[in-house]
Amino acid sequence: MSQVEKKAGLLRRTSSSKKPLKEKVVLMYDEIFAKEDPAKNNPRFWDELFLMKVNLEYLETKLETVDGEEVQKIQDNINSLFHHCVQALGEEHQIKVVNALQTLCALFRGVHQKNKSASGFDIINMLMGFDKAEQRMKDLMERLDSLLCGEGSESLKSLCLKLLLCLVTVTDNISQNTILEYVMINSIFEAILQILSDVSSRGQHGYDAVVLLALLVNYRKYESVNPYIVKLSIVDDEPTLDGMGMVVHHALTEYNRQYKDKEEENQGGFFSTLTSMVGSMFIADADEKLSVQTNEAILLALYEAVHLNRNFITVLAQSHPEMDIPTTPTTPTPTTPTTPLGTTPPSLDMMNNPELPLDPNLQTSNLLITFLKYASIVMQDTKDEHRLNSARLCLIILTCIAEDQYADAFLHDDNMNFRVNLHRMPMRHRKKAVDKNIPSRPLVCAVLDLMVEFIVTHMMKDFPMDLYLRCVQIIHKLLCYQKKCRIRLHYTWRELWSALINLLKFLLSNETTLLAKHNIFHLALLVVNLFNMFITYGDTFLPTSNSYDELYYEIVRMHQVFDNLYCMVLRVSTNTGQWKEPASKVTHALVNVRAIVNHFNPKIESYASVNHISQLSEEQSSTHILTDTAELPAATSLPPVTVEDGWPPETHSVTTVSMSLTYKSIHTHTHAASVHTLQDKSMHTTISA
């Protein structure tokens, strides 16, 4: 049977001599879309309807194609269908419950697709009648809550979550979905927590539950009081928080594993290597073929947990053996296109298994390490809008972590060392790092490595200014903690200094282009102030006295960059214009760097002239010149730059991500396929029982 005939509910092909036969359920749908009450001539109409297998395509298409005038005529029948769907959820017969859940899903989708430009009140009126909406939604939410918390079929619970996800994501902007006001009033928060706290339920439904909670939290979160935000912020039940962390951890681990497998697949063999070499001649980004699609839903869930609940920070640090999710495929879900990389929910076997086998050869890991690996993949390519949003959200999450005292203590704990294999963007001028050469260090080193990697690899024409601002601010927050607690971190600071100086060099080289779009002076000020922190307070957190020599050497070696920056900001600050004030701030901030350059440069030139040396080596500079700091002016302590000064708005970034989580993006793999599969599965369960 062709797809068109299937959607039309035809049982045999149309011919000139015979009328086409339709499924009985399709005939019953046609009665609903007629003007008269379908139960008028058949009192058992609604009982019979929910015993029939739902034809989702036909029902949704029918709802979408109804004309404006016809809508008014059949509104009573649509309201009645909604009412009887809710009533059917209380039936003992599981087939009726399954069919009612799927019919409700079709109703929500079909009505919203038809009335995209209509107000939320019109949609509510179309679905259930505005005067009865409060009671109808109360009954619906109570029955869904009962099904989720009860001891019924796991398939039914899964369908309940699919229905709720369908309802939450049915509009392009979640905050414009007026029906969710009733979901706020009739909370299912406790039901979601119950799923996450139970090992068995979490394995079956944890992914959907976490995504649903993240979306509900984002409903008008900046406009009104959202009860889900309040409740999530005070959760302190350890099994629940651990369960939430485990769901996020396995989802990110699955993404990382898929990416690694795809990367190895593309790099394996002589033919693949030859293809890559030839392809890289024509394709600027050799890694584009990996076609990475980020899992923004689970990332949003992690952000909300870290941002709203301080107790969740402890979950980030819980160690366990590092294991890749087994590559043995689970039973594939039919009917959908190939699932994009990274959007598949985690393996149920792994979700069900709280105890992982211990092996002395295994590296210990935690949620934070998995997230850092995920971020290192996501942040490689920000050209695509979805990847840009994901990279932005990763940096916001890292900002929240860097601002938390407990997280900072764990990051800098010298007794908790980890070997973190971050993914690095392939570049022609550097060799690929070997996994075995990665040292075991405090986690803050991995965070700094990630920030340095981003700074080095994203100096491009379409400059991601807000990401750079967040990146530099994260470094600043970590340095403030090290200064405050006098933590002498053994880190290769020279890589950071070199990256920051190259960033300033890029800003100078592209001044005209960048100024047309961005305030480059604020970013330059943040970078210069990082150097001021090292110059002024480095004695409290730099590991050795030689670190100061290395710092001075880098500043003096690259003095031309700082000289050019000073000339540029002096030129702009002495002219009238919109950048006069921000440029003058950079001028004042350069006082310490210029003092170092002006102190050592004449000495270096004099030493080179006397000894007939064209260029001093680092060893010569350190031995004969940089140790002479007696006449070096004392470093000037400058007022700190406030976080709010030029800080990109977080609210807009999070809202953008939550808005991108449409029905299609989430349900490509968790709803459209599952509805049909669960329908058959639930019926089989009921009949066999």
Side-chain angles (χ1 to χ4, degrees):
M1 187 180 292
S2 69
Q3 189 67 23
V4 175
E5 289 170 338
K6 183 180 177 182
K7 283 188 177 183
L10 300 181
L11 294 177
R12 76 177 176 203
R13 296 180 185 277
T14 306
S15 66
S16 57
S17 59
K18 295 181 180 180
K19 290 183 178 181
L21 289 179
K22 291 185 177 181
E23 299 175 35
K24 184 175 180 181
V25 71
V26 170
L27 294 172
M28 298 183 82
Y29 290 155
D30 288 341
E31 289 186 53
I32 294 172
F33 286 92
K35 298 176 185 177
E36 294 185 3
D37 180 3
K40 185 177 180 180
N41 298 321
N42 181 8
R44 293 185 53 79
F45 178 86
W46 299 112
D47 288 331
E48 293 176 6
L49 176 66
F50 295 113
L51 288 171
M52 302 287 173
K53 184 177 179 179
V54 178
N55 189 324
L56 287 171
E57 289 88 352
Y58 184 83
L59 184 54
E60 286 183 29
T61 304
K62 195 76 174 175
L63 285 164
E64 291 174 21
T65 55
V66 175
D67 293 333
E69 294 182 1
E70 292 181 14
V71 169
Q72 301 298 324
K73 296 175 183 177
I74 65 168
Q75 182 175 317
D76 289 342
N77 287 353
I78 300 297
N79 293 170
S80 186
L81 175 59
F82 187 93
H83 171 58
H84 284 91
C85 283
V86 174
Q87 283 192 322
L89 296 182
E91 295 277 354
E92 294 183 3
H93 207 306
Q94 284 198 14
I95 291 179
K96 286 188 175 182
V97 179
V98 169
N99 290 332
L101 287 168
Q102 294 184 40
T103 305
L104 282 169
C105 200
L107 275 174
F108 284 129
R109 290 188 63 190
V111 171
H112 276 88
Q113 287 298 317
K114 172 62 183 175
N115 302 278
K116 283 187 175 181
S117 59
S119 69
F121 300 107
D122 291 335
I123 289 174
I124 291 171
N125 195 41
M126 170 74 176
L127 274 171
M128 60 198 93
F130 197 74
D131 56 335
K132 298 176 182 177
E134 188 171 342
Q135 186 59 46
R136 295 282 185 268
M137 286 301 298
K138 183 175 183 291
D139 293 341
L140 173 62
M141 297 308 296
E142 285 178 353
R143 282 168 185 171
L144 289 176
D145 185 81
S146 178
L147 288 169
L148 288 171
C149 296
E151 298 181 358
S153 163
E154 294 299 324
S155 299
L156 278 182
K157 292 182 180 180
S158 186
L159 268 180
C160 289
L161 289 169
K162 304 299 180 189
L163 172 61
L164 287 165
L165 283 168
C166 170
L167 173 59
V168 171
T169 58
V170 79
T171 55
D172 293 335
N173 184 346
I174 188 173
S175 294
Q176 293 175 356
N177 190 347
T178 313
I179 297 178
L180 293 186
E181 286 293 339
Y182 299 109
V183 183
M184 297 294 115
I185 297 169
N186 305 284
S187 175
I188 53 163
F189 183 81
E190 286 70 22
I192 295 174
L193 292 195
Q194 182 174 316
I195 290 171
L196 294 175
S197 61
D198 181 74
V199 175
S200 177
S201 294
R202 181 171 67 238
Q204 293 285 330
H205 320 295
Y207 186 86
D208 285 345
V210 164
V211 172
L212 176 62
L213 180 58
L215 290 169
L216 289 173
V217 162
N218 276 275
Y219 176 71
R220 297 184 180 174
K221 66 185 297 186
Y222 305 113
E223 303 164 27
S224 60
V225 177
N226 183 323
Y228 289 86
I229 293 178
V230 178
K231 291 180 178 180
L232 179 58
S233 66
I234 59 175
V235 173
D236 58 0
D237 181 60
E238 190 173 336
T240 302
L241 294 172
D242 289 347
M244 190 183 302
M246 194 169 292
V247 171
V248 175
H249 174 262
H250 286 308
L252 297 181
T253 301
E254 172 66 14
Y255 176 92
N256 295 345
R257 185 192 62 77
Q258 289 183 34
Y259 180 88
K260 187 176 181 182
D261 289 349
K262 192 123 184 173
E263 189 178 42
E264 290 174 353
E265 179 185 326
N266 288 336
Q267 291 175 351
F270 172 77
F271 181 75
S272 176
T273 305
L274 182 62
T275 305
S276 298
M277 290 172 60
V278 176
S280 63
M281 297 177 186
F282 305 100
I283 302 173
D285 193 344
D287 225 33
E288 274 188 352
K289 58 189 174 184
L290 289 180
S291 185
V292 181
Q293 179 169 328
T294 56
N295 192 335
E296 292 173 330
I298 211 70
L299 202 60
L300 183 66
L302 177 60
Y303 163 73
E304 297 299 351
V306 171
H307 175 61
L308 294 175
N309 192 302
R310 290 207 63 211
N311 299 314
F312 189 80
I313 294 293
T314 60
V315 177
L316 294 173
Q318 289 179 358
S319 297
H320 54 76
E322 183 178 49
M323 287 186 65
D324 285 336
I325 292 178
T327 55
T328 306
T330 54
T331 305
T333 306
T335 76
T336 50
T338 305
T339 304
L341 175 62
T343 57
T344 308
S347 163
L348 294 182
D349 293 335
M350 289 296 291
M351 297 285 289
N352 276 323
N353 184 13
E355 298 295 333
L356 299 176
L358 292 174
D359 186 331
N361 297 321
L362 284 177
Q363 153 89 354
T364 55
S365 181
N366 54 48
L367 175 55
L368 184 54
I369 292 175
T370 304
F371 168 68
L372 289 173
K373 291 180 180 179
Y374 176 87
S376 70
I377 297 171
V378 168
M379 291 164 60
Q380 285 185 27
D381 181 11
T382 58
K383 295 173 185 175
D384 177 76
E385 184 180 357
H386 288 287
R387 298 177 197 176
L388 178 64
N389 288 335
S390 289
R392 185 178 291 120
L393 194 49
C394 284
L395 289 172
I396 293 174
I397 292 170
L398 284 172
T399 302
C400 294
I401 292 171
E403 288 175 343
D404 186 273
Q405 292 293 309
Y406 177 84
D408 282 330
F410 173 74
L411 286 173
H412 292 84
D413 190 344
D414 205 32
N415 297 314
M416 299 291 288
N417 293 334
F418 298 90
R419 189 174 286 108
V420 184
N421 179 25
L422 298 176
H423 295 264
R424 290 158 60 92
M425 185 182 292
M427 301 180 78
R428 293 185 179 89
H429 66 273
R430 68 181 184 187
K431 294 181 180 179
K432 184 176 180 181
V434 182
D435 295 357
K436 294 180 180 178
N437 295 338
I438 300 171
S440 187
R441 305 172 296 173
L443 272 179
V444 67
C445 296
V447 178
L448 290 170
D449 283 347
L450 184 61
M451 298 300 100
V452 170
E453 175 70 11
F454 180 84
I455 291 172
V456 169
T457 57
H458 287 78
M459 300 178 203
M460 54 183 125
K461 185 183 293 184
D462 190 11
F463 190 69
M465 175 61 78
D466 65 321
L467 300 191
Y468 268 94
L469 289 173
R470 294 189 183 281
C471 186
V472 175
Q473 285 282 13
I474 289 168
I475 298 171
H476 182 262
K477 291 176 189 297
L478 294 173
L479 291 180
C480 286
Y481 180 82
Q482 292 168 24
K483 167 185 167 291
K484 175 184 174 183
C485 300
R486 294 182 173 269
I487 296 173
R488 298 188 181 278
L489 183 68
H490 289 273
Y491 181 72
T492 50
W493 292 111
R494 178 172 290 185
E495 291 184 6
L496 173 61
W497 299 330
S498 177
L500 293 173
I501 292 172
N502 284 328
L503 175 57
L504 291 176
K505 189 176 180 181
F506 175 82
L507 295 179
L508 288 167
S509 302
N510 298 273
E511 174 193 350
T512 306
T513 306
L514 293 176
L515 267 180
K517 300 178 181 178
H518 310 290
N519 176 6
I520 63 172
F521 300 105
H522 181 64
L523 178 58
L525 178 62
L526 293 176
V527 172
V528 172
N529 275 344
L530 284 181
F531 279 101
N532 284 328
M533 278 201 70
F534 282 105
I535 294 168
T536 311
Y537 304 110
D539 59 323
T540 62
F541 61 85
L542 287 174
T544 63
S545 58
N546 289 336
S547 300
Y548 258 121
D549 294 344
E550 293 175 359
L551 172 63
Y552 289 163
Y553 176 78
E554 284 299 315
I555 292 174
V556 173
R557 185 176 70 89
M558 301 298 291
H559 72 90
Q560 195 65 51
V561 174
F562 294 105
D563 291 344
N564 292 341
L565 176 63
Y566 181 75
C567 292
M568 188 263 280
V569 294
L570 189 64
R571 167 174 50 83
V572 175
S573 63
T574 52
N575 296 325
T576 56
Q578 67 176 119
W579 306 121
K580 179 180 175 68
E581 185 178 349
S584 64
K585 290 181 180 179
V586 182
T587 307
H588 297 309
L590 281 167
V591 59
N592 288 328
V593 173
R594 285 177 52 75
I596 292 171
V597 171
N598 292 335
H599 176 75
F600 287 116
N601 246 6
K603 295 179 182 293
I604 290 174
E605 291 173 1
S606 174
Y607 182 87
S609 176
V610 170
N611 293 277
H612 307 288
I613 302 172
S614 60
Q615 187 174 357
L616 272 69
S617 67
E618 181 179 355
E619 184 180 354
Q620 290 171 323
S621 298
S622 300
T623 304
H624 302 289
I625 307 296
L626 298 181
T627 52
D628 181 16
T629 59
E631 299 177 9
L632 182 64
T636 305
S637 182
L638 299 166
V641 179
T642 59
V643 174
E644 293 78 12
D645 184 15
W647 184 248
E650 176 182 311
T651 57
H652 174 71
S653 304
V654 177
T655 302
T656 302
V657 173
S658 64
M659 285 175 61
S660 69
L661 299 177
T662 60
Y663 182 89
K664 182 179 179 181
S665 66
I666 293 179
H667 299 294
T668 297
H669 47 277
T670 61
H671 178 77
S674 304
V675 163
H676 299 288
T677 307
L678 287 167
Q679 180 183 44
D680 297 333
K681 185 177 178 182
S682 298
M683 286 185 174
H684 175 74
T685 304
T686 308
I687 294 168
S688 61

